Amino acid sequence: MNPIIIIIIVLALLLIFLIALLKLTRVPGAVYKNKVKYSDHAKAPVKPFFSNKYWLTGKPDYILDTKDGLIPLDIKNTAKPKEPYFGHVMQVVSYCLLMEEENAIPPKYGILRYNDGQFYISYTPERKAHLLKTMDKMKQHMRSNTCPEPDPKSRCKLHTTVSL
Amino acid sequence: MGTIDNIVLNLYKQDEERVTTVGMDLESIQKVLILIKDRTVMKPIRSSEISSYLFCPVCWWIGITEGVKITSAMVEGEKHHKHVAENTTKAGALYACIIVITFILIAVSLCGVLL
């Protein structure tokens, strides 16, 4: 057999093996394909973002330096749903808001990574407005020390109809 | 209700290492946690709380009023995060190797064609 063909076969097999190993690490492709600017998975603890204006704090799993600018990435340890869960979407939007406050430049989108896939969450004015409205409701409950009413549309199996 | 200036709390990660991230000693953090529990101060909203509130507002309320609860899901989540952290460097190195081998494969194939 031609030695070049043997080399090609060996390299191809090695490539397949390395790709399989890479998949086994379960690290999102966006992480190793881009420069990581911030990571909540570093050995040393990282400082959370904080907005005094919105009284909001949070630590995205990663902030990536991509061709689209700085982008937050959040990892969820669940199977990928057909559509991203609304709560997860708003969590990513809140990271976008924190980054906008920190850098004065709003991220174009955030990435929501599930075990077997990911969604790109656009950071739109509508989503930002919805986030602020949600946070206002939360703050009202915190100030008045009152428990919110159960949400009948909630995915929660415990508190859809029964009031505390 | 008062507020705490510029203090960020990560209530699910109260181990000493994490506490140092907010630049406070453990004793100070514990005092702040007591104030929050007594509802005499308001803590900032954490991004993950927004997800929790939208999942179920009652669960969120129980979580913030009954204090810190480390559920099995959270522990699993933490384990997963650590797993990801440990593998990030490995994944970067593997990705670099894949790119290099791909280039070599293309070069060898071209040589084969030319020869």
Side-chain angles (χ1 to χ4, degrees):
Chain A
M1 193 185 274
N2 188 332
I4 289 180
I5 292 173
I6 295 170
I7 293 170
I8 289 171
I9 291 169
V10 170
L11 285 174
L13 289 174
L14 183 62
L15 206 55
I16 292 165
F17 177 69
L18 289 176
I19 290 168
L21 276 183
L22 186 60
K23 290 281 174 195
L24 282 175
T25 63
R26 294 177 70 192
V27 176
V31 172
Y32 54 76
K33 287 177 185 170
N34 292 286
K35 194 174 177 186
V36 175
K37 295 290 278 186
Y38 175 100
S39 169
D40 191 23
H41 305 290
K43 282 180 185 172
V46 290
K47 195 180 172 184
F49 286 86
F50 178 75
S51 165
N52 202 32
K53 183 179 171 184
Y54 297 110
W55 204 238
L56 174 68
T57 181
K59 294 201 289 186
D61 288 314
Y62 290 98
I63 291 177
L64 306 172
D65 192 358
T66 72
K67 59 179 171 50
D68 295 323
L70 295 178
I71 302 296
L73 165 75
D74 200 46
I75 299 171
K76 297 293 176 195
N77 188 27
T78 55
K80 185 188 173 192
K82 282 183 183 172
E83 296 290 326
Y85 296 125
F86 188 62
H88 293 173
V89 170
M90 282 296 123
Q91 186 178 347
V92 170
V93 170
S94 75
Y95 293 134
C96 292
L97 177 64
L98 285 167
M99 286 174 65
E100 183 183 4
E101 286 292 294
E102 179 87 7
N103 307 319
I105 303 169
K108 288 182 185 172
Y109 58 88
I111 302 172
L112 187 52
R113 168 82 193 184
Y114 291 95
N115 280 352
D116 44 359
Q118 62 192 28
F119 293 100
Y120 292 87
I121 311 297
S122 301
Y123 183 46
T124 61
E126 292 78 23
R127 281 182 170 155
K128 182 179 172 181
H130 198 286
L131 171 72
L132 296 179
K133 201 174 152 189
T134 305
M135 283 168 55
D136 279 343
K137 284 184 195 170
M138 294 167 79
K139 284 172 192 168
Q140 277 171 21
H141 288 292
M142 288 161 81
R143 286 195 189 98
S144 61
N145 202 15
T146 52
C147 180
E149 284 297 310
D151 180 2
K153 293 174 189 168
S154 157
R155 288 189 290 129
C156 177
K157 300 280 185 280
L158 297 171
H159 307 111
T160 47
T161 52
V162 184
S163 193
L164 284 180
Chain B
M1 187 180 282
T3 56
I4 318 163
D5 271 337
N6 212 15
I7 293 171
V8 178
L9 298 170
N10 193 338
L11 296 179
Y12 292 130
K13 297 167 184 172
Q14 286 180 63
D15 57 279
E16 199 168 355
E17 187 185 45
R18 291 285 179 177
V19 167
T20 56
T21 65
V22 295
M24 293 177 70
D25 57 86
L26 192 58
E27 195 182 343
S28 307
I29 280 286
Q30 281 165 344
K31 282 177 187 169
V32 173
L33 289 175
I34 290 164
L35 291 171
I36 288 168
K37 201 178 172 187
D38 292 346
R39 319 290 298 157
T40 48
V41 294
M42 191 168 127
K43 70 179 180 66
I45 293 173
R46 283 178 299 116
S47 295
S48 54
E49 269 185 69
I50 293 161
S51 177
S52 164
Y53 175 82
L54 290 169
F55 173 76
C56 174
V58 180
C59 286
W60 165 73
W61 182 254
I62 292 168
I64 65 162
T65 51
E66 288 191 2
V68 182
K69 282 185 175 179
I70 299 176
T71 66
S72 59
M74 283 166 187
V75 172
E76 283 304 310
E78 283 295 298
K79 276 182 189 169
H80 174 69
H81 279 193
K82 278 177 186 167
H83 174 74
V84 171
E86 285 162 6
N87 284 342
T88 302
T89 315
K90 196 193 293 178
L94 283 168
Y95 186 63
C97 287
I98 287 168
I99 289 173
V100 170
I101 290 170
T102 305
F103 274 110
I104 295 170
L105 190 59
I106 291 167
V108 172
S109 304
L110 283 174
C111 285
V113 171
L114 291 174
L115 290 172

